[in-house]
Amino acid sequence: MSYKKNDKVVLKLGGHLLSNATGNFNIEYLKKLTPIIEYLKKSVEKLIIVVGGGQIARQYINTAYFFSRNNSSLDLLGIKVSHLNALLLSIITNNPPTSIPENLQDVINQTSYRNIIITGGFQPGQSTTTVSALIAEAISADLLIIATDVDGIYEKDPKKYPDAKLLTETTIDTLKKIFDKSIIEAGEYKLLDPYTLKILERSKIKTIIINGKNPGNIIKAIKGEKIGTLIKT
Ligand SMILES: Nc1ncnc2c1ncn2[C@@H]1O[C@H](COP(=O)(O)OP(=O)(O)O)[C@@H](O)[C@H]1O
Ligand SMILES: [Mg+2]
């Protein structure tokens, strides 16, 4: 499959990919990721990257949680960290660090004059995965790639159940059953949440969940190689 088919691509990069469990940035990983982003930028017409907050957001939220149980405030901490991650990615990929879009309108406005946009979370109560789905819907993306730290969607959490089977293809209805217990608490959004699934269901955006720990998988997804989990819409 040629790149032209997927000329508008939204990439959600799980925040957990950028840093390790102690919250230190994984420099070796970033060194592998940056040339891939450069390559993507040249290969597609529009590339929109949404990055999560990851372990560093988790640390902020856990610290604030000792003093506040206000999920909106805790989410704001995660959002700010995701924006810092977005700024970091902008700088290390040599993309002018203009203002990080803070809402859908900002993203839409920037698409008229930029071919790469890197952003993070939008507002409390909403995961960065939902943001990626909302952007994909808004710009009628050809492909949404959700890069996380496991090989795709399993029938159950592969970290809790090592015997869980990877689904190479799945449907929104199946996903609703798998992720129905996703708790919506700050920093606790699971791989997919009900809001994201609703947006994918109505927009019918082609979506693939891949393991981003090997950034080369992003290229494979764009090329149409069989990888991760394809959501049939
Ligand atoms: N059915 C499932 N299939 C795949 N991963 C799942 C599933 N249920 C829960 N998970 C968990 O979701 C995690 C990825 O989501 P998340 O922790 O939000 O990371 P990120 O948003 O940084 O990619 C995986 O590491 C896995 O443990
Ligand atoms: Mg997540």
Side-chain angles (χ1 to χ4, degrees), residues 196-215:
T196 302
L197 293 174
K198 280 267 174 225
I199 301 300
L200 295 181
E201 186 171 42
R202 75 174 191 184
S203 62
K204 301 192 170 25
I205 299 286
K206 181 179 177 188
T207 304
I208 303 175
I209 291 90
I210 59 159
N211 194 334
K213 285 203 275 189
N214 174 5

Side-chain angles (χ1 to χ4, degrees), residues 3 11 14 18 32 55 59 61 63 75 81 89 100 114 118 121 150 153 161 164 169 181 207 209:
Y3 289 138
L11 170 66
L18 306 188
K32 283 190 277 175
Q55 196 56 34
Q59 288 184 3
I61 291 166
T63 303
D75 259 353
V81 174
L89 275 185
I100 302 296
R114 290 175 74 91
I118 306 180
V150 291
I153 310 277
Y161 306 94
E169 278 191 1
K181 293 188 190 73
T207 304
I209 291 90

Side-chain angles (χ1 to χ4, degrees), residues 30-206:
L30 294 174
K31 280 185 188 166
K32 283 190 277 175
L33 178 68
T34 48
I36 299 279
I37 292 177
E38 281 299 309
Y39 183 79
L40 284 179
K41 197 174 110 178
K42 290 190 201 116
S43 310
V44 299
E45 190 193 305
K46 295 274 175 220
L47 175 66
I48 293 149
I49 301 176
V50 182
V51 64
Q55 196 56 34
I56 297 166
R58 188 72 268 160
Q59 288 184 3
Y60 271 91
I61 291 166
N62 287 351
T63 303
Y65 190 76
F66 283 110
F67 306 91
S68 168
R69 299 291 150 93
N70 184 313
N71 277 302
S72 180
S73 309
L74 298 174
D75 259 353
L76 268 182
L77 279 173
I79 291 165
K80 295 290 180 196
V81 174
S82 72
H83 286 199
L84 262 184
N85 286 344
L87 193 54
L88 177 76
L89 275 185
S90 300
I91 291 169
I92 68 177
T93 54
N94 285 318
N95 290 297
T98 55
S99 61
I100 302 296
E102 296 197 7
N103 53 50
L104 206 49
Q105 191 63 57
D106 285 350
V107 172
I108 293 165
N109 292 349
Q110 288 197 13
T111 53
S112 65
Y113 57 93
R114 290 175 74 91
N115 64 355
I116 174 165
I117 296 168
I118 306 180
T119 188
F122 284 170
Q123 59 178 347
Q126 197 179 64
S127 70
T128 44
T129 310
T130 302
V131 167
S132 70
L134 288 168
I135 293 172
E137 179 180 57
I139 66 161
S140 300
D142 299 279
L143 180 63
L144 167 61
I145 302 170
I146 298 176
T148 186
D149 61 354
V150 291
D151 284 342
I153 310 277
Y154 291 74
E155 49 181 11
K156 50 192 173 179
D157 188 344
K159 286 200 183 136
K160 284 193 202 142
Y161 306 94
D163 64 322
K165 286 195 184 59
L166 178 70
L167 308 174
T168 52
E169 278 191 1
T170 190
T171 61
I172 297 283
D173 283 341
T174 305
L175 291 171
K176 278 184 185 163
K177 286 182 199 127
I178 295 177
F179 292 101
D180 68 336
K181 293 188 190 73
S182 292
I183 27 173
I184 308 277
E185 272 181 16
E188 286 299 331
Y189 305 95
K190 286 301 160 204
L191 184 52
L192 289 171
D193 52 84
Y195 187 8
T196 302
L197 293 174
K198 280 267 174 225
I199 301 300
L200 295 181
E201 186 171 42
R202 75 174 191 184
S203 62
K204 301 192 170 25
I205 299 286
K206 181 179 177 188

